[in-house]
Amino acid sequence: MFDELFSKNAVSVDKMFEPSRRFHALMLNGVEKVAHFQLDAVKSYAEFGLKNLREGLELRDVNDIQGFVTKQGERARELGEKVQSDVQTLAGIQQELGTEVQKLMQNNVAGLSEAPRAARSSSSKSSSGASSSGSSGSRKSA
């Protein structure tokens, strides 16, 4: 008797927490993607800056300085393109996460709205059976 009671409660607890588990798993995956993206971006920007600094250390004469300064415009353009690309990538990750959360919420709302319908239909079946047996019983006594 107790095993059956605990078994039924365990199933209902699992069902109760399942939407929360799915949501948190989705959030964790999103955080993981953003963290990997950020780590890659930091590495890329650090390498970009360090490369530029190393080239600055190799300057020996006026011609080297002139070439270095000329390259800085190109480097600034490259950096701007990289930043723009990274912003678009991050926006894509956020949009994907938002879409997945929206789908999850829609499924949860659909599941919540179906549960009362199922409960009403099962209770109306049992109450219609009870009312028909109750009415036949009252006919017998009349």
Side-chain angles (χ1 to χ4, degrees):
M1 178 173 149
F2 288 114
D3 290 339
E4 184 179 326
L5 178 66
F6 288 125
S7 170
K8 286 181 182 179
N9 285 335
V11 169
S12 64
V13 168
D14 283 345
K15 286 182 181 179
M16 182 174 70
F17 286 113
E18 185 60 28
S20 178
R21 281 189 203 113
R22 287 182 187 162
F23 175 76
H24 286 96
L26 191 58
M27 289 290 107
L28 182 59
N29 288 339
V31 167
E32 184 178 24
K33 283 181 183 179
V34 170
H36 285 295
F37 168 78
Q38 288 176 331
L39 289 171
D40 290 343
V42 166
K43 182 180 178 188
S44 174
Y45 292 122
E47 288 173 352
F48 182 86
L50 291 171
K51 179 181 176 187
N52 199 40
L53 289 173
R54 288 194 192 287
E55 287 179 5
L57 287 175
E58 295 175 5
L59 301 177
R60 301 286 182 236
D61 58 22
V62 175
N63 289 335
D64 290 345
I65 293 172
Q66 189 176 19
F68 181 78
V69 171
T70 304
K71 283 184 180 179
Q72 293 307 301
E74 183 181 325
R75 295 272 166 80
R77 182 188 53 76
E78 288 175 15
L79 183 61
E81 289 173 359
K82 170 80 172 129
V83 169
Q84 185 177 11
S85 172
D86 287 348
V87 167
Q88 289 174 348
T89 300
L90 186 58
I93 291 170
Q94 291 172 335
Q95 185 176 13
E96 179 184 335
L97 180 62
T99 301
E100 291 298 318
V101 168
Q102 190 174 24
K103 285 179 189 177
L104 181 66
M105 293 303 165
Q106 287 173 345
N107 289 342
N108 288 342
V109 168
L112 289 174
S113 63
E114 289 174 8
R117 286 185 205 144
R120 277 187 245 136
S121 67
S122 66
S123 67
S124 65
K125 288 178 184 176
S126 63
S127 65
S128 66
S131 64
S132 63
S133 65
S135 59
S136 63
S138 62
R139 286 185 203 149
K140 289 179 182 177
S141 63

